[in-house]
Structure formats: structure tokens, C-alpha cells
Amino acid sequence: MKTWPRRALASPGDSLIQRFPWPRGLLRDVLRGSPLERAAAYRHNRAQLGLLLAHTVRWSAILTTLLVLLQIVSQAASGAEPPLVTVLGSALGLGAALCAAVVAVMGATCLYLRLVR
């Protein structure tokens, strides 16, 4: 019988900055193994739903912060836009778009684990 590799959420090489936003090692692959192993992996993923929701809330807070900063930068750039304001606004917009994508994927995963049996 194939056993799932155990991986701690915080390995010695991980820093707090790396562990804070990423739910790496939290979920197991439900597409591999026998039907019993896939069912066990799915039950494990459902048990981790609370931690996944916490990561989703963290990413939502980061997204909100970036959007507020983007609003402040866009209000500061009244009239002519100097290159620094343009670059800063573009970077904040790109970061917000990436955060929105991460929140969407994590939110969809949370909904799937919560609603589908």
C-alpha cells in the first residue's frame, strides 16, 4: 500500500515570510492512487478547510491593502503623471491582479471542499 509522504507545514528551511501566505503542504493530491487513497486524501483536504480559509482571508487582506494603496497613488497623480507614479501604479495594479487570481482559486477550492461531498 502506498503511503502519503509526510511533510510538515514548516520545514527548517522555510522562513516566516514564506509560510505566511502559501498553503504549501496543506492539501494532498486526490488524483493519484487507488480509490481508497483518493478518498482518504479528499477527507484530509476537507479537514484542512479551516486553514485554507485562513490563507484566503490573508490574501484578501493583502488584496485590499494593494487596492487602497492603488487608490491613494491614483489620487496623488492628478494632472501630469510623473514616471515614478506610473511605475508604482502599474506595480500595485499587477500585484492586485495576481492577488485577485489567488483569492479566486483559493475561494473556489474552499467552496468545492465545503459543498461537494
Side-chain angles (χ1 to χ4, degrees):
M1 178 177 193
K2 179 181 175 186
T3 60
W4 291 96
R6 289 283 199 192
R7 183 172 193 286
L9 289 177
S11 62
D14 290 344
S15 69
L16 181 61
I17 294 173
Q18 290 172 331
R19 286 190 317 239
F20 179 74
W22 301 112
R24 182 179 61 186
L26 188 65
L27 302 177
R28 293 184 179 165
D29 188 4
V30 296
L31 299 176
R32 293 186 183 166
S34 68
L36 290 176
E37 291 171 339
R38 289 187 298 219
Y42 185 72
R43 282 191 305 272
H44 170 80
N45 291 348
R46 285 184 52 86
Q48 300 299 319
L49 182 61
L51 293 174
L52 188 61
L53 283 171
H55 282 287
T56 306
V57 169
R58 288 177 187 160
W59 276 94
S60 298
I62 293 170
L63 173 62
T64 303
T65 303
L66 287 174
L67 289 175
V68 167
L69 289 173
L70 184 60
Q71 180 68 25
I72 292 169
V73 167
S74 68
Q75 287 177 354
S78 60
E81 296 185 21
L84 179 62
V85 174
T86 304
V87 170
L88 184 60
S90 299
L92 288 172
L94 180 63
L98 290 174
C99 283
V102 170
V103 167
V105 169
M106 284 188 185
T109 303
C110 288
L111 282 175
Y112 180 81
L113 289 174
R114 179 76 175 118
L115 300 176
V116 176
R117 297 264 177 215

